[in-house]
Amino acid sequence: MSFAQRLSELMASRTLTNYQLAKDLDIHPTTVANWLAGKAPRKKTLALLAEYFGVSTDYLLGNEQKEKPATDGQAINEEALKLALFGGNTDVTDAMWEEAKNYIQYIKEREKRKRE
């Protein structure tokens, strides 16, 4: 299964439109349309998509058959998230990581309030 097919499947399972996904990720809707047409996202964006959907980057790319089980609605793929946030920096402290997770939680809560 291709990235475009996998993304389409994940979006459909969550009844997301191109516009809603773009809004949630703070990107242009045309970017989502390009992905669905077969264009691959950048590594950092791929990691953000994996975190957003609670799946691994390998799953998004079609290298795994099953989604990772979500623990609380959307599991955080820590490895992908660290890559996206810190660009492969291996000197990420526990404090930096906790601050990043707190910020992500804040963003999720803010977006949830916007939708209500």
Side-chain angles (χ1 to χ4, degrees):
M1 183 176 286
S2 72
F3 169 77
Q5 292 168 318
R6 191 61 52 98
L7 179 62
S8 178
E9 179 182 274
L10 287 167
M11 288 174 63
S13 73
R14 290 157 178 82
T15 60
L16 285 172
T17 64
N18 291 15
Y19 177 78
Q20 185 62 51
L21 179 61
K23 183 178 172 189
D24 288 350
L25 296 178
D26 196 27
I27 58 173
H28 198 277
T30 303
T31 303
V32 177
N34 288 339
W35 294 337
L36 293 171
K39 186 173 180 183
R42 295 180 177 156
K43 286 182 185 179
K44 286 184 178 183
T45 308
L46 182 66
L48 289 174
L49 283 165
E51 192 276 326
Y52 179 85
F53 284 110
V55 298
S56 70
T57 54
D58 278 338
Y59 178 80
L60 277 175
L61 294 172
N63 299 330
E64 289 180 0
Q65 294 302 314
K66 295 183 181 179
E67 288 186 52
K68 285 176 43 179
T71 54
D72 61 354
Q74 288 186 348
I76 293 177
N77 182 331
E78 290 188 10
E79 197 172 308
L81 189 55
K82 282 182 182 178
L83 175 65
L85 293 173
F86 303 108
N89 180 358
T90 57
D91 297 328
V92 177
T93 65
D94 288 340
M96 290 167 65
W97 181 233
E98 282 304 313
E99 186 176 337
K101 289 196 295 188
N102 289 338
Y103 181 70
I104 290 165
Q105 187 60 37
Y106 166 77
I107 299 278
K108 286 180 179 180
E109 288 171 9
R110 188 181 75 186
E111 291 301 317
K112 183 179 177 183
R113 283 193 301 271
K114 281 183 185 178
R115 285 180 239 162
E116 293 175 346

